[in-house]
């Protein structure tokens, strides 16, 4: 069974840091382009960062310079290091695995990140 298991969310004060992890189960993440997305109530899910199999990275303008996406193929895990967190970063964060050059993808279950004093 293919699963993406996210962890690392929680409550943090503004200016703090969190590291999200997305571990593959039944799936080798090294073969997928990976992305982190986030969603707040009433809004569409939005791209936060992506890392390709090359690996190349892209970031949403709102997180550039604060967030870093990376992958450790030995651990079959993709990370999102989030520094300088702001209240507007509060959202459910989802991991997505995309098969390169296709429309095939899988989502994780999401992890809540809350930035509040």
């Amino acid at each position: 069974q293919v699963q993406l298991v996210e962890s690392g969310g929680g409550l943090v004060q503004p200016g703090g840091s969190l590291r999200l992890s997305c571990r593959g189960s039944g799936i080798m993440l090294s073969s997928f382009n990976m992305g982190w997305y986030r969603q707040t109530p009433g809004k569409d899910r939005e791209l936060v960062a992506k890392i390709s199999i090359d690996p190349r990275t892209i970031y949403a303008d709102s997180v550039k310079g604060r967030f870093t996406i990376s992958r450790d193929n030995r651990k079959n895990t993709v990370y999102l290091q989030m520094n300088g967190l702001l209240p507007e970063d509060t959202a459910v964060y989802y991991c997505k695995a995309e098969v390169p050059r296709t429309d095939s993808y899988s989502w994780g279950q999401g992890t809540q990140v809350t930035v509040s004093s």
Side-chain angles (χ1 to χ4, degrees):
Q1 184 179 0
V2 173
Q3 277 189 309
L4 298 173
V5 182
E6 296 126 330
S7 61
L11 173 64
V12 64
Q13 293 187 341
S17 298
L18 284 174
R19 188 177 79 159
L20 305 183
S21 299
C22 173
R23 180 178 58 82
S25 176
I27 180 175
M28 294 302 298
L29 299 188
S30 58
S31 299
F32 295 81
N33 295 327
M34 300 298 300
W36 285 99
Y37 292 72
R38 66 188 181 188
Q39 189 171 23
T40 54
K43 292 189 177 181
D44 292 336
R45 198 168 293 187
E46 65 174 5
L47 173 68
V48 176
K50 289 181 73 172
I51 184 166
S52 67
I53 60 176
D54 300 59
R56 291 171 292 166
T57 59
I58 60 171
Y59 296 92
D61 288 343
S62 59
V63 306
K64 282 181 182 176
R66 300 188 297 122
F67 291 11
T68 302
I69 188 170
S70 62
R71 62 197 309 160
D72 186 336
N73 291 334
R74 294 171 303 172
K75 295 183 178 180
N76 204 28
T77 301
V78 174
Y79 302 99
L80 184 69
Q81 178 67 44
M82 305 186 294
N83 299 326
L85 283 160
L86 305 170
E88 49 263 46
D89 295 317
T90 295
V92 178
Y93 284 71
Y94 296 90
C95 176
K96 184 182 183 184
E98 302 172 349
V99 180
R101 298 178 298 279
T102 74
D103 292 329
S104 180
Y105 56 87
S106 295
W107 288 103
Q109 82 285 356
T111 185
Q112 175 71 46
V113 171
T114 302
V115 184
S116 175
S117 55

